[in-house]
Amino acid sequence: MATPNDDYDTPWKDAVIRYFPDFVAFYFPLAHAEIDWSCPQRFLEQELAQVAHDAELGKRLADKLVEVTLKGGAPQWVLVHLEVQGRRDSRFAERMFTYNYRIFDRYRRPVASMALLADGNAGWKPDSFG
């Protein structure tokens, strides 16, 4: 039986890093189509740690922050914030909003926040915070 101390985050984080283009293609195909995959991606661990620390939301870790380059036009980049959520959490939407705002406020770049909901409740789909 799973306990709250089971470490499910580490394997997800490792898989996201190793298979990032495939991960985005499978779970977020519309976003995948907008990214120029010929350009390298950069995982921003230190930047994310600082943003998560500043957020003071109890849970101090959003899973991955990645710099990517979008297709078309002048070179630009976006920060993609991924959080794998394995159980219902009443503060989840607020946490996603806060991380999104903190990342934008700190870097003044567009932020795409993507959540992979891995809980067993098909009816729980937080899509906004207000």
Side-chain angles (χ1 to χ4, degrees), residues 5 15 21-22 24 43 56-57 68-71 76 83-84 89-90 104 110 112 129:
N5 294 328
D22 294 327
V24 175
F43 289 83
E56 296 181 9
L57 289 174
V68 299
T69 303
L70 298 180
K71 290 181 178 175
Q76 59 180 329
E83 182 157 341
V84 178
D89 179 350
S90 63
F104 176 79
F129 173 74

Side-chain angles (χ1 to χ4, degrees), residues 12 23 27-28 63-64 80-86 92-93 95-97 112-119 124-127:
W12 270 108
F23 174 85
Y27 290 108
F28 307 103
D63 287 340
K64 289 295 163 195
V80 180
H81 167 202
L82 296 170
E83 182 157 341
V84 178
Q85 181 66 25
F92 178 72
R95 191 170 65 249
M96 288 290 288
F97 170 81
S113 292
M114 301 179 198
L116 175 58
L117 300 176
D119 65 305
W124 185 66
K125 296 180 182 177
D127 60 3

Side-chain angles (χ1 to χ4, degrees), residues 1-13 59 84 86-87:
M1 181 171 184
T3 65
N5 294 328
D6 287 344
D7 182 12
Y8 296 111
D9 282 352
T10 300
W12 270 108
K13 292 173 191 174
K59 182 178 179 184
V84 178
R87 64 183 176 277

Side-chain angles (χ1 to χ4, degrees), residues 35-54:
I35 296 171
D36 182 350
W37 294 103
S38 67
C39 296
Q41 302 88 55
R42 186 169 63 112
F43 289 83
L44 305 168
E45 301 301 328
Q46 296 301 326
E47 292 86 343
L48 178 59
Q50 184 60 49
V51 169
H53 177 73
D54 289 347

